[in-house]
Amino acid sequence: MAYFKQDVIQYEGPNSTNPYSFKYYNPNEKFDGKTMEEILRFGVAYWHTFTADLSDPFGVGTAVRDWDSLSEMDKAKARVDAIFEFMEKLNIPYFCFHDVDIAPEGKTLKETNENLDEIVALIKKKMEETGKKLLWNTSNNFTHERFVHGAATSSNADVFAYAAAKVKKNLDIAKELGAENFVFWGGREGYESLLNTDMKLELDNLARFFKLAKNYADEIGYTGQFLIEPKPKEPTSHQYDTDVATAHAFLQKYDLDDVFKFNIEANHATLAGHTFQHELHYARINDMLGSVDANQGHPLLGWDTDEFPTDIYETTLAMYEILKNGGLGSGGLNFDAKPRRTSFAQDDLILTHIAGMDAFALGLRVAHKMIEDNFFENIKKEKYESFETGIGQKILNEEVTLSDLAEYALENDQITNKSDHLETIKAQFNQYLLNINIEDK
Ligand code: XLS
Ligand code: CA
Ligand code: CA
């Protein structure tokens, strides 16, 4: 049975009016010897696209899906068929999941693991048949009420052990399915209030937990990249992995910075009061950029709305960071995004992904052109040119003392600064976005 009536979605170029076509994503078109498909490495998020029902804190689910009326295990099986058909039709090479997305939880942990085994076997078969790959999997250690106080940072040692058992199982699955990465999002790893929180113990336990996971991965020979996904708040009022800089400091303190990279989500960046580009950039300059959860927040809503990315200003700057990083390595662009509650039809799953894929494909085209022209590089070179010669060069070479600088300043105290013409830079960026030349089909 087919779940989606469309044929494989084709590239029709920027002037196409067919909603079921790509306007900018042309998978085989090459940029510096690599195809768009190889650079963008798109992924489908199992949870938003195949498991969630589009409910929100004020209303029930609205999604209409062919598998709605099936029993839990049959639903899980139908979803496996549906996601593989979906990936074929959209030409998406990767998918990502939490354990609870693919199989229902049983009454006991043993039963949960048995449900997982059954579905993982189906997924493995489909992967072999289609060549589709697992970008990452993760353990959902936040939804069930047992995680009320957190998982690795819970005040209850039994919960720490239970969470460990789940991560062990998910690492086995990662190995079995060849997951290219393994994600840790600290769901409830944070606190509501410091009045009753032993923060030092909780952070030490979080590091202990990560070390146990790494040791087990080594033990079973799982070599996928470990990723931490920062988020500042929601559901807790303070999440320990607040943003890249905070989580990086944590990893450095516990000597785990060689074990992890970051999975950066656009909406989490904005929740942290940063731009998406800031988080990508900070990770890149520290050699910690691993993968991306491609979505966007709503500028008027202060929560994690997980919209499909359509803002080409943001996708261009994201692709700029990714290209400057030399690509995403084993990472990819996972659409951790959901249709709006009002876009409830099954077809909307296809349409939303086309919108997101095109936004990143256009971003890639523009960013590639800007890099060819050394647009930002030239601006920055001119801005910082005082460090290329004279006293600036000596500062960079660490050849001066504080007294040397004081002596220099006494002779050079009439400072001249240059305007950096920021508004012109923004206008020129607009020109790039509007004048990008794309061959029509
Ligand atoms: C929630 C997170 C979550 C992670 C994986 O806000 O985005 O879905 O990506 O657990
Ligand atoms: Ca995410
Ligand atoms: Ca999110």
Side-chain angles (χ1 to χ4, degrees):
M1 131 164 214
Y3 290 98
F4 299 95
K5 58 180 185 294
Q6 295 76 24
D7 292 330
V8 176
I9 306 298
Q10 303 293 330
Y11 173 66
E12 291 185 6
N15 294 317
S16 171
T17 54
N18 172 12
Y20 293 98
S21 74
F22 293 118
K23 321 299 179 293
Y24 303 101
Y25 181 57
N26 188 12
N28 296 321
E29 193 174 327
K30 289 195 171 167
F31 291 81
D32 299 330
K34 274 178 143 187
T35 65
M36 270 198 169
E37 184 175 332
E38 286 163 347
I39 298 170
L40 294 167
R41 297 168 61 84
F42 287 128
V44 179
Y46 219 103
W47 53 104
H48 282 313
T49 303
F50 290 95
T51 317
D53 61 3
L54 302 184
S55 53
D56 70 15
F58 305 98
V60 297
T62 57
V64 180
R65 304 287 183 255
D66 287 347
W67 46 86
D68 283 342
S69 61
L70 302 178
S71 71
E72 285 307 306
M73 256 333 245
D74 284 347
K75 213 183 260 182
K77 290 175 192 166
R79 284 173 176 144
V80 174
D81 288 336
I83 192 172
F84 280 89
E85 181 193 330
F86 187 77
M87 286 190 281
E88 290 277 6
K89 292 205 160 153
L90 280 160
N91 215 330
I92 294 184
Y94 287 100
F95 64 111
C96 304
F97 62 78
H98 304 80
D99 44 5
V100 302
D101 306 328
I102 60 166
E105 286 190 84
K107 285 195 200 67
T108 60
L109 185 55
K110 186 166 173 284
E111 210 178 292
T112 301
N113 287 346
E114 284 161 7
N115 290 348
L116 279 168
D117 288 340
E118 196 176 337
I119 301 298
V120 166
L122 286 183
I123 290 179
K124 189 171 183 188
K125 190 161 167 279
K126 283 280 184 188
M127 288 173 73
E128 283 162 5
E129 281 165 20
T130 60
K132 300 295 177 191
K133 290 171 282 187
L134 184 55
L135 186 63
W136 51 261
N137 64 319
T138 185
S139 182
N140 178 322
N141 286 356
F142 44 89
T143 300
H144 194 278
E145 67 255 30
R146 76 177 66 86
F147 299 118
V148 61
H149 297 302
T153 64
S154 173
S155 45
N156 183 345
D158 284 349
V159 176
F160 186 101
Y162 194 103
K166 286 193 77 190
V167 166
K168 175 177 182 291
K169 180 70 183 166
N170 283 292
L171 284 167
D172 289 336
I173 294 172
K175 165 109 184 129
E176 173 79 6
L177 298 180
E180 297 189 22
N181 309 271
F182 189 85
V183 164
F184 293 86
W185 170 57
R188 291 182 191 277
E189 315 294 25
Y191 60 79
E192 286 308 322
S193 170
L194 271 183
L195 297 178
N196 61 356
T197 300
D198 187 339
M199 192 182 193
K200 168 97 174 54
L201 176 77
E202 292 197 1
L203 286 170
D204 287 350
N205 274 354
L206 187 58
R208 287 185 183 106
F209 193 89
F210 287 147
K211 285 181 182 164
L212 292 168
K214 171 64 177 147
N215 289 345
Y216 184 68
D218 289 346
E219 190 184 320
I220 62 171
Y222 173 64
T223 55
Q225 175 66 52
F226 273 22
L227 299 171
I228 282 188
E229 182 179 326
K231 185 173 182 179
K233 55 191 167 201
E234 218 189 66
T236 68
S237 57
H238 174 87
Q239 305 260 141
Y240 290 133
D241 301 325
T242 290
D243 59 7
V244 174
T246 308
H248 192 217
F250 167 88
L251 292 174
Q252 286 174 317
K253 172 175 175 191
Y254 292 99
D255 206 15
L256 281 161
D257 48 323
D258 287 343
V259 173
F260 284 90
K261 287 193 176 190
F262 289 108
N263 182 40
I264 294 171
E265 180 179 316
N267 204 162
H268 297 180
T270 47
L271 278 176
H274 302 307
T275 61
F276 184 23
Q277 186 188 11
H278 169 92
E279 289 292 82
L280 295 167
H281 188 86
Y282 196 94
R284 168 167 80 80
I285 62 176
N286 286 289
D287 197 20
M288 293 294 282
L289 176 52
S291 198
V292 171
D293 270 5
N295 64 12
Q296 66 185 28
H298 192 291
L300 303 180
L301 298 173
W303 47 295
D304 194 15
T305 55
D306 290 342
E307 290 187 13
F308 269 85
T310 50
D311 180 337
I312 54 174
Y313 205 92
E314 280 206 341
T315 58
T316 299
L317 292 172
M319 286 315 302
Y320 172 80
E321 295 299 333
I322 291 167
L323 291 175
K324 292 294 277 187
N325 193 55
L328 284 169
S330 66
L333 293 170
N334 164 49
F335 288 111
D336 189 354
K338 59 184 171 200
R340 294 306 83 197
R341 190 166 177 270
T342 47
S343 302
F344 47 74
Q346 199 153 297
D347 275 5
D348 284 309
L349 298 177
I350 299 256
L351 292 169
T352 48
H353 280 78
I354 291 175
M357 291 164 81
D358 266 341
F360 268 92
L362 180 57
L364 163 60
R365 291 174 186 278
V366 179
H368 183 262
K369 174 80 180 113
M370 290 175 113
I371 290 172
E372 261 182 0
D373 293 354
N374 281 315
F375 177 68
F376 292 120
E377 290 70 19
N378 287 340
I379 290 167
K380 290 180 196 175
K381 187 167 172 31
E382 201 189 319
K383 179 164 173 172
Y384 296 95
E385 71 181 349
S386 70
F387 284 94
E388 280 178 15
T389 53
I391 194 72
Q393 192 178 38
K394 287 191 178 144
I395 292 170
L396 289 198
N397 293 340
E398 297 176 10
E399 285 167 6
V400 281
T401 63
L402 205 63
S403 305
D404 296 336
L405 290 170
E407 202 177 303
Y408 176 88
L410 283 169
E411 297 293 314
N412 296 276
D413 61 351
Q414 302 306 303
I415 307 275
T416 333
N417 271 316
K418 288 187 294 188
S419 165
D420 68 5
H421 312 301
L422 180 58
E423 294 75 5
T424 303
I425 295 168
K426 291 183 177 180
Q428 287 166 342
F429 186 2
N430 285 345
Q431 282 181 288
Y432 272 97
L433 285 167
L434 294 169
N435 297 344
I436 188 77
N437 192 14
I438 303 162
E439 270 181 46
D440 220 337
K441 251 241 151 161

